[in-house]
Amino acid sequence: MATSTSTSATKRRSSIKKTVKDQSGAGRIKVGELLSKAGYITATQFETAKKEVQKNGTRMSAVLRQLEYIDEDTVFNFLSRHHNYIPAIIKNEPPSPDAVNLLPYELAKQYMAFPLRLAGNTFQITMAEPSDAAAIEELQDELHKEVSVCVSTEKDIVEAYKKYYGIDDEEARSFFSSGGEEVEEELSITEVDDFGAIVAEAADDFEIESGVEDDHLDQFAASDAPIIKLVNGILVKAVQDQVSDIHIEPYERTMQVRYRKDGSLFKSMNLPLTIKNAITARVKILAGLDITERRVPQDGRIKMRMGKNRAVDFRVSSLPTLFGESVVLRILDKSALNVDLTQLGFEPETFEMLKRCLARPQGMLLVTGPTGSGKTVTLYSSLNSLNNEDIKILTAEDPVEFSFKGINQVNVNQEVGMTFAAALKAFLRQDPDIIMVGEIRDYETAEIGIKAAMTGHLVFSTLHTNDSAATIGRLIDIGVPPYLIASSVTMVLSQRLGRRLCQNCKKKMKYSDMELLQAGFHEDELEDLEIYGPVGCPECNGLGYRGRVGFFELMEVTEEVAKAISAEVPEDQLRKIAIQEGMTPLRDAALKKVRDGITSINEAMRRTVAHEESLPAYLINPDEEIYEDGDIIIREGNKDLDFFKLIRGALTVVKGGKKIAELTEPGEYFGEMAAISGEPRSASVISKGRATIKRYPGEKLEEIIYKYPDIAGQLFTTMTSRLQKSNQITVKLAGGGARKPGPPPR
């Protein structure tokens, strides 16, 4: 029997060894060696951490974190992406009760593990260091179960200890001897093959002291093969992973390379400071910049060919910082550019409005939003849809990012006087049909663009504003008269880019009614609302998102919107009128994507702002009317429903040919009873001298009462005062109450 048991245990150990090896590709190799081999830490850092582990018996990942060599999110993503451990975010995947009962806290604490679920004889756990095969074997022997291993961050596991094992805050803090950690944005590691060996070689060959500004050393290092390979690898991998930007940033203790993908930054690697100047110099050489100048910002461009038919441009910007030069490279890959308007994510109603605006022969079309919101792609897509042989298109850009056949593109150069305004003036002498100005920055550019739009040209441009209504205010601020804006601007398109949920791993999420209402959903839709959120899987690199989608707010300058612009109505009122004319606000557009399961509610709230509902146009700017002496404002017996407010002057109330009251207080409402009861007018109201009043639509009274309590309060105050006066008159007519009181009023 003992032999049988021993054989069974041996089989289990053999099985788990094979599983671990298959998952990590490294067998018993510890996480520190894996990170060192991949280039995330240097050999010196690994040796220092290893001595600390041997001295104190601490986990390698905890030591690396405490020494600030690497953060735990980097370890988490490295293990999940590079070594195929399933990422587990415990707060999104609550454990089963039987699993928690099976793994005692002391045992879980010993191995920095947490139980997830039990399926037959297989026990799924998550660990901060799942690459420790020996620890997993020991766990398997302790539990007498086949163990399946996932990976989680240390702080995620400790939070789970607090929630499911009930440990106190002091016990939780004991896991972090560094004195607590700040919660950082979850980062993802972009795999870079063989970078570890390259970095190690570069660091060994060129021991350049951090902070030493020696140009000769920099030039020499930048021209050496390992540095060339490293920089080329960073560029090639960025293109292959379809990232939009590369950030090479020096800090006090390390040099960090980050990629931006789908609008978010993700750490790629930490490089030793010894090669800081060599990396920067190599990039500057490729971009044609001055490698000896480190005091001022520089801009350049790199062109890289990938095969016979593919070329990728990198727009390079260097910036002097406290610890050296920060370099940012914007990737301009035309093969990855999508200029199909139908694929950008427009809602059907918004897309129809856009097509209607593009079909007009003249006018100014503005695209607004912050940097990185996709304005350039929208402009290129619009121009591409209009690009025909019988149309001449001229563009002024700073700089030209992508070239298109059939479109004449001009680079703006401030140093030689080639500004947007100068380019526009020249364009008008080139007989264009369509003009695009990269950005309106000043009055001169705006004025020329508007005049071009008013003289038979279709003009496209961009502004950096928060939304469509704010764009009008921005144009007024730089000096453009409102009447010119109203007559020349055809549309204002405001947009944002949000991340798409990974369709492979997204799952339904539960939110409270209060959270959904605060986000902007309507109360009547909460019951049937299905909201999806990110989970993370190998296909999306554990992020829960893949790709991006646009949120669009298109304000078409209709006749009503043009009137509002000319009248210089407030921004919130202009927004309200535009919504009445068919505009979908940014937040509503984002929530539509949430309803459709395209993005998450967190992404919608992060990228858009919900504007509190302002007073409608009929309350802020109602029709103002002037009546002369004897003019009838309300006629007794009529069935109209409008109600009014006295602005100035005096009014007489007449019933059955007899004067029964006067209205003399500015701000006093009258005529509201017909709107409330729906019955014919009980009296006439006649102007006494010259009077000015404001008219309000009676059919909106119910909406006012429910939505705008301040206005409703004023109305009821007026009605109460009028009833009190009426009662006083009744009492006087009845003899002041000396007679026997009649029945109570009904």
Side-chain angles (χ1 to χ4, degrees), residues 171-277:
E171 172 79 0
R173 285 194 295 271
S174 69
F175 289 92
F176 309 107
S177 58
S178 60
E181 299 180 335
E182 295 182 1
V183 179
E184 300 178 357
E185 182 181 356
E186 187 172 328
L187 302 175
S188 178
I189 309 303
T190 305
E191 182 179 359
V192 184
D193 298 335
D194 300 326
F195 272 3
I198 295 171
V199 172
E201 185 180 349
D204 292 340
D205 289 348
F206 310 107
E207 292 293 333
I208 305 171
E209 289 293 327
S210 172
V212 176
E213 306 292 333
D214 192 319
D215 297 337
H216 298 293
L217 285 176
D218 284 344
Q219 291 182 44
F220 179 70
S223 64
D224 197 82
I227 296 297
I228 293 174
K229 290 178 183 177
L230 177 59
V231 173
N232 290 349
I234 292 172
L235 301 183
V236 171
K237 193 64 180 178
V239 175
Q240 291 176 344
D241 287 355
Q242 297 182 339
V243 305
S244 60
D245 301 85
I246 307 169
H247 294 244
I248 304 173
E249 305 161 319
Y251 295 100
E252 185 176 9
R253 298 185 180 184
T254 185
M255 188 174 193
Q256 183 173 269
V257 179
R258 294 194 288 174
Y259 290 157
R260 186 181 296 279
K261 186 172 182 179
D262 297 335
S264 298
L265 280 169
F266 308 97
K267 187 183 292 183
S268 170
M269 70 189 76
N270 290 318
L271 303 177
L273 283 176
T274 53
I275 62 171
K276 173 184 71 176
N277 292 335

